[in-house]
Structure formats: C-alpha cells, structure tokens
Amino acid sequence: VTTRRRAEAALRESEARYRALAEAIAAVIWTTRPDGYVVDMPQWRAVTGQTVEEVRGSGWLDAVHPDDRERTRELWQRSVDAGSVCDLEYRIRASDGRYRWFNARGIAVRDEEGQVREWVGVCIDITERKAAEERQALLMGELDHRVRNILASIQSMVTLTGRSAASKEAY
C-alpha cells in the first residue's frame, strides 16, 4: 500500500509540474486525437477568440490566414498520415482581428505498440522575429541597391577616363 501511495503521490506531483509548466510557457499548447481531429484547444481559443465548436475537427484552420491555410492543412495532414513531426509557420487571426505569426510544432505520442495515441504540440508567437526578418530584408535590398549604384558610378568613371586618355600612363 505504501509503495502504491508513493507512486500515486509522485504521479500527482508530476502532473502538477506539467500543468504549471504548460501555464508558464508563453505559447499555445495543444493536443489532438490520433487522426489529427481537434476536440478542444483552450489556449488556441484564448488567442483566436474561437468557440469550442469553431475549433473542433479542423475548424481551427479558419483562424489561419487564408494565404497560409491550404499549405497548413496539407502539411498537417501529411504529418498525421506519416506519424512524423509537424513543423511549420503560419499567421493566425487573433481575437483583436490582427494576424500574428506562429511557429507550430507537433509530435506524435505513441503507445507501447508504436501506434499514435495522440498528438501534442505547441504554437509559439514569432511575430517579432518575422518583423525583424522583414526589416533585415528591406535593409539588405537597400544596401544592394546602393552598392550597385556606386559600382555603376565607378564603372562610368573608368569608361569615360579610358575614352579620353591618350596613353596607358594618362589613363
């Protein structure tokens, strides 16, 4: 009896630790059935403002940006069919109506026979990272443009100097 009570206490402690960790992480933690069907995702609902009924099944996809929706659906289904890790980025319409970028990563939890028991995943807000990448791409484009202009100016000076120079030394 004592061994069983210790095991039960350890299990309760472990579950409490997991719940606290899930609440402490600044991310959306989710689970689905083995076939990828969503029963409910409370943290997803908190971000998107969707109801339980709207999230159920594949309804959660309605909060994904229309330009990202089909690719997200295909990659998720491919992962479910193969039982492989799902790792993708997409925009989610938040409850305030604005879209935010998220990285979603899901992994299959398997039973003793190797069958998928459920899927567990996390969606992490990467909006700030995406904005920084956009700024960096804009700056790199501007830098590239300016360097090309400078090189074109140098090339023109060299060409004009070569036309008017009477000798190699004068050039």
Side-chain angles (χ1 to χ4, degrees):
V1 174
T2 303
T3 303
R4 190 177 93 213
R5 286 193 182 175
R6 280 190 202 137
E8 289 171 352
L11 180 60
R12 282 192 304 276
E13 188 177 306
S14 176
E15 288 174 348
R17 185 179 301 117
Y18 173 77
R19 275 192 295 280
L21 178 63
E23 289 177 22
I25 294 174
V28 174
I29 298 172
W30 51 268
T31 61
T32 74
R33 294 188 328 201
D35 61 358
Y37 183 93
V38 172
V39 176
D40 188 17
M41 293 191 294
Q43 291 176 319
W44 179 272
R45 289 189 289 108
V47 170
T48 65
Q50 289 180 294
T51 66
V52 173
E53 293 77 26
E54 290 171 330
V55 168
R56 192 166 287 136
S58 61
W60 61 273
L61 281 163
D62 292 340
V64 174
H65 191 283
D67 293 346
D68 303 335
R69 196 171 295 150
E70 192 55 36
R71 179 182 52 83
T72 299
R73 179 190 326 274
E74 287 173 10
L75 291 173
W76 172 237
Q77 191 59 55
R78 195 176 309 149
S79 290
V80 169
D81 292 345
S84 61
V85 172
C86 182
D87 190 358
L88 51 116
E89 295 178 355
Y90 50 73
R91 292 164 285 180
I92 296 174
R93 185 185 60 250
S95 58
D96 64 4
R98 290 186 284 180
Y99 283 93
R100 298 191 61 80
W101 278 98
F102 281 79
N103 171 255
R105 185 166 170 85
I107 188 165
V109 178
R110 299 180 183 279
D111 61 20
E112 295 79 25
E113 288 81 40
Q115 299 299 311
V116 176
R117 189 177 70 217
E118 66 179 339
W119 286 84
V120 175
V122 62
C123 294
I124 299 171
D125 190 330
I126 58 168
T127 304
E128 297 304 318
R129 188 193 87 198
K130 284 292 198 178
E133 288 173 359
E134 233 177 76
R135 285 190 302 273
Q136 184 178 18
L138 182 66
L139 289 172
M140 291 302 291
E142 180 63 26
L143 179 61
D144 184 56
H145 175 72
R146 289 181 185 208
V147 167
R148 287 178 192 268
N149 283 347
I150 290 169
L151 290 175
S153 295
I154 292 170
Q155 186 177 16
S156 294
M157 286 189 292
V158 168
T159 301
L160 290 174
T161 303
R163 285 185 192 158
S164 62
S167 67
K168 186 166 95 172
E169 290 76 21
Y171 179 69

